[in-house]
Amino acid sequence: MTAAMRICHVSPHLPPDQAANAILPAHLGRWAAARGDDVRFLSLEPAQGSLAPAELPGRVCRLPLRRSRSAAVRALRLDTLTRTRTIARALDAHARDADLLHLHSNGLIVEVAAAWAHRRGLPVVLTLYGTEIWHYRPRWPIDPFTRAYRRAQEVTFYSQGLLDRARTLGLDRQGLSVIYPPVDDAFVPLDAAQRASLRQELGIAEPRLVLNVKRLHELAGQRFLIDAFAKVARGRTDIRLVICGTGPLRESLEHRAERAGVARQVTFAGLVPNHDVARYAAAADLFVLPSLLEALPTVAVEALAAGTPVLSADHPGGVELHGLFGDDVAVVAREDTDALAAALADRLTSPRRVRPSTLDLLQARFGRAAVDAAYLAVYRRVLAQRPASLRQ
């Protein structure tokens, strides 16, 4: 029997935040704890809402690291120094006996943890989700993120497109791999009768349901979806758009729906627990993701797992999913409301469920067993490289 590991996940987010870099460490932690590993988490306080606290295994430390409002403090970097010391002290207390650190995404908490681990000879796995690479701009003369990236024993990427982009930026190195995001077991396809019953439970009277799940942010592109939906919904009473998520654009998006004349047919559901997202995904006829930029949109993969086809903008993640799943993921040009409306109308005219081959591929590449095995292999490779003098 393989000895138990002591793994500390460090991420800017954890549930109840619904960011990808919150959901993955939670999944990995639960799976590791189930096989007998010691798991702990270091993160920031929730940023996206106040849902019930997530049940996570092991010790969880959340730091209230809000930036100072003082321009002078920020200019002198005193704020950064204070937060750096707070993170380092938390690592001393929380991760000093860990076998490895699994760092997620970027930001100060990740950069400090990477430097802290390097000083102690502690192996690091770094997982990148998208913005760290799409918006990569190394800081001169010393960039803590680049240094963390170079020092990590292995780096995993959320998509092949993201890995390819890193290489074009001059970030090629040994120990790079792609591990797709896992799909929660709650996302399963239902038959027609079950879906009709579910829509009734969710209070949806219309027979056609369009779904979007994303933070209400400029890059999420919901404004294009509302405009396209308004074109399709004109003169119809049989379709509804549900948008799950919270964010700074809620009020402006609500006003946009009002001006377009579809306010009564658009539901802003707010921040929704993941098990309810799964219910919406199974009940929907089409999942639409008009984002301007995505590496690999987990929400779209979850919709597919619930049996619902996807209509995506041609961001890198949408293009990659189309390559994997074919017509079950249709792609239109970003910011093209007319093209989005035409594709939306076409898909709603003849709604269907995803093909069996899509469900098979999801299990093989995005299923719990596949993702868990892939990360377990990474952990074992990293620990095998650790000097014998540091093994316990």
Side-chain angles (χ1 to χ4, degrees):
M1 178 180 293
T2 305
M5 292 180 282
R6 293 167 294 190
I7 307 164
C8 182
H9 291 275
V10 180
S11 175
H13 300 287
L14 284 176
D17 288 351
Q18 293 183 322
N21 57 5
I23 294 171
L24 179 62
H27 279 311
L28 294 177
R30 293 185 188 110
W31 301 341
R35 65 173 173 260
D37 291 335
D38 178 296
V39 184
R40 66 285 302 266
F41 301 87
L42 179 62
S43 184
L44 307 181
E45 288 186 333
Q48 295 179 9
S50 56
L51 292 174
E55 293 183 4
L56 296 170
R59 290 174 284 164
V60 181
C61 178
R62 296 180 188 261
L63 302 175
L65 294 178
R66 294 183 177 86
R67 292 181 180 274
S68 171
R69 295 182 179 180
S70 167
V73 168
R74 292 198 301 271
L76 294 172
R77 298 183 63 82
L78 298 176
D79 186 41
T80 300
L81 289 172
T82 299
R83 291 186 297 137
T84 295
R85 291 178 183 137
T86 300
I87 295 166
R89 285 195 295 268
L91 287 162
D92 288 339
H94 203 64
R96 63 182 180 275
D97 61 340
D99 294 314
L100 66 88
L101 260 58
H102 189 160
L103 310 183
H104 299 265
S105 193
N106 62 352
L108 186 65
I109 191 170
V110 168
E111 295 163 358
V112 172
W116 182 91
H118 179 73
R119 291 194 297 270
R120 288 157 179 77
L122 190 65
V124 165
V125 175
L126 174 63
T127 294
L128 301 180
Y129 296 79
T131 55
E132 318 92 342
I133 297 300
W134 297 123
H135 301 304
Y136 176 70
R137 296 290 187 276
R139 288 169 277 176
W140 187 260
I142 297 175
D143 178 35
F145 170 73
T146 304
R147 187 162 52 187
Y149 178 91
R150 294 293 184 190
R151 286 173 172 175
Q153 277 60 46
E154 293 213 19
V155 181
T156 70
F157 294 82
Y158 234 44
S159 72
Q160 185 62 50
L162 195 60
L163 172 53
D164 294 342
R165 175 65 176 165
R167 285 175 168 152
T168 65
L169 291 170
L171 293 173
D172 198 12
R173 43 154 289 180
Q174 295 294 314
L176 306 182
S177 62
V178 175
I179 303 178
Y180 284 125
V183 175
D184 193 275
D185 293 341
F187 292 86
V188 294
L190 303 178
D191 62 30
Q194 290 172 316
R195 294 178 62 237
S197 176
L198 194 52
R199 282 196 296 273
Q200 187 175 20
E201 292 175 16
L202 293 169
I204 298 167
E206 296 82 359
R208 296 285 178 263
L209 173 60
V210 178
L211 178 66
N212 170 264
V213 180
K214 202 69 184 174
R215 181 165 167 76
L216 308 184
H217 184 274
E218 286 292 338
L219 286 178
Q222 285 104 348
R223 63 191 185 278
F224 304 109
L225 174 55
I226 290 172
D227 291 349
F229 180 81
K231 291 176 180 288
V232 176
R234 189 171 296 126
R236 298 179 61 168
T237 59
D238 64 333
I239 58 176
R240 173 159 296 276
L241 169 61
V242 172
I243 299 175
C244 298
T246 186
L249 295 186
R250 174 157 181 167
E251 185 175 350
S252 67
L253 291 172
E254 289 175 335
H255 290 328
R256 196 178 197 98
E258 289 174 3
R259 291 194 301 271
V262 291
R264 293 184 178 181
Q265 292 168 272
V266 179
T267 299
F268 290 90
L271 187 61
V272 176
N274 211 42
H275 67 273
D276 282 338
V277 172
R279 300 170 75 216
Y280 278 115
D285 296 287
L286 187 65
F287 185 92
V288 184
L289 194 69
S291 306
L292 306 187
L293 183 62
E294 296 275 358
L296 203 295
T298 307
V299 288
V301 179
E302 290 172 337
L304 293 171
T308 300
V310 171
L311 174 57
S312 173
D314 62 348
H315 45 68
V319 171
E320 186 163 338
L321 289 181
H322 176 70
L324 286 169
F325 299 107
D327 290 341
D328 282 342
V329 180
V331 174
V332 299
R334 275 168 282 189
E335 303 183 62
D336 190 334
T337 302
D338 290 337
L340 184 60
L344 182 58
D346 180 64
R347 289 292 172 127
L348 290 176
T349 298
S350 302
R352 63 175 180 82
R353 310 309 288 160
V354 302
R355 297 185 301 260
S357 59
T358 287
L359 298 176
D360 292 341
L361 182 56
L362 282 164
Q363 281 301 311
R365 302 294 300 275
F366 298 83
R368 166 183 171 168
V371 177
D372 188 21
Y375 276 107
L376 181 57
V378 168
Y379 293 162
R380 288 175 175 168
R381 286 197 302 270
V382 165
L383 289 176
Q385 299 167 12
R386 195 178 187 190
S389 60
L390 296 177
R391 298 176 197 165
Q392 296 183 12

